[in-house]
Amino acid sequence: AIAASHQLAEMGVVAGIVCATSPDLLFRAAQSRVSRVGQSSAILETLLPANYPAPLVTVLDGHPHTLSFLSGIRGDRSINLGVSEFGHSSSLEDAYAIHGIDQTSIVDSALPLLGLSIFTSRSGAGASRELQRPLGRSVISGQRSDQRV
């Protein structure tokens, strides 16, 4: 995820990273907001401040639905990456690629949430990947809410 955020930064996209060691704690905090009307949760306000809505890409070396509830906290668009098939045997790097939680998969999943895409061309020495922005529209505006993934 850190390498993906650096790659996105090189493309002009600022991406925040949150390392959640306890999805259960986050889920319980989200549930308590629903069951106790008006109650705020410091952990959720810290991780997902209401005044900075942004698309979310969740990445987990577990099932992708585990963190899918996070998009409902502020109503953010999201894509949830994770392991949905089991039984593969490989190196860690290959396992991340097989399950779509490697650097390339994270970047390729984040960009469409921002209305961006990657153009891959093959030429002589190998593949070239370039960021494509939609015509006639400024995608990254300098507002934090438009930049954070």
Side-chain angles (χ1 to χ4, degrees):
I2 293 170
S5 93
H6 291 300
Q7 184 178 348
L8 288 166
E10 289 173 5
M11 297 175 176
V13 176
V14 177
I17 297 176
V18 174
C19 179
T21 57
S22 176
D24 179 59
L25 176 64
L26 297 174
F27 183 75
R28 283 186 279 137
Q31 289 298 97
S32 72
R33 286 176 33 159
V34 173
S35 64
R36 297 182 186 112
V37 177
Q39 181 174 341
S40 67
S41 168
I43 186 86
L44 294 178
E45 291 301 322
T46 300
L47 294 178
L48 301 167
N51 55 340
Y52 292 114
L56 300 173
V57 177
T58 67
V59 183
L60 184 69
D61 60 352
H63 202 281
H65 75 249
T66 304
L67 296 173
S68 63
F69 71 92
L70 291 174
S71 65
I73 292 171
R74 296 182 306 204
D76 297 318
R77 294 173 310 203
S78 73
I79 187 158
N80 306 288
L81 306 178
V83 179
S84 56
E85 296 178 6
F86 300 91
H88 297 276
S89 178
S90 66
S91 69
L92 187 59
E93 183 177 324
D94 288 344
Y96 282 4
I98 289 167
H99 297 291
I101 58 175
D102 61 317
Q103 176 182 344
T104 300
S105 298
I106 295 169
V107 170
D108 289 350
S109 296
L111 293 175
L113 288 173
L114 298 168
L116 301 170
S117 62
I118 292 285
F119 173 74
T120 303
S121 65
R122 300 235 178 243
S123 62
S128 169
R129 292 171 47 93
E130 298 176 24
L131 183 64
Q132 283 192 293
R133 300 177 188 274
L135 295 175
R137 181 178 140 199
S138 173
V139 176
I140 302 171
S141 70
Q143 295 294 322
R144 183 175 175 182
S145 62
D146 292 339
Q147 297 177 354
R148 214 173 90 195
V149 177

